[in-house]
């Protein structure tokens, strides 16, 4: 997998998470970095993933990979 930068303007840190919006359900889904860059998704560094905020009334689903 190639390194991908954070998609936030002005950020050059390495992306670690992929964000997808589901507008119909007022939901944002944040998970591990996708294997490939996909249209309509946003790759975020750890700092921007942690600071993620959504509009009032929206739900955030955070998928995490557990190390066993």
């Amino acid at each position: 997998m190639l390194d991908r930068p954070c998609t936030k303007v002005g950020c050059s840190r390495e992306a670690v998470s992929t964000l997808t919006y589901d507008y119909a359900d007022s939901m944002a889904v944040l998970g591990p970095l996708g294997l490939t860059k996909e249209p309509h998704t946003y790759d975020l560094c750890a700092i921007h993933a942690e600071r993620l905020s959504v509009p009032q009334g929206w739900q955030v689903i955070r998928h995490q990979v557990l190390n066993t």
Side-chain angles (χ1 to χ4, degrees):
M1 180 177 357
L2 298 174
D3 292 339
R4 297 199 307 257
C6 181
T7 56
K8 285 288 196 173
V9 174
C11 183
S12 60
R13 288 183 286 272
E14 183 178 338
V16 297
S17 297
T18 297
L19 172 65
T20 305
Y21 290 107
D22 181 341
Y23 293 95
D25 292 325
S26 301
M27 183 183 318
V29 180
L30 185 66
L33 187 63
L35 295 178
T36 60
K37 178 74 176 138
E38 297 291 333
H40 310 294
T41 64
Y42 304 89
D43 294 336
L44 300 177
C45 68
I47 292 171
H48 286 116
E50 180 65 30
R51 293 181 183 170
L52 175 67
S53 63
V54 296
Q56 185 174 355
W58 278 54
Q59 179 180 7
V60 177
I61 305 296
R62 294 179 184 265
H63 294 279
Q64 297 177 338
V65 175
L66 300 175
N67 295 329
T68 57

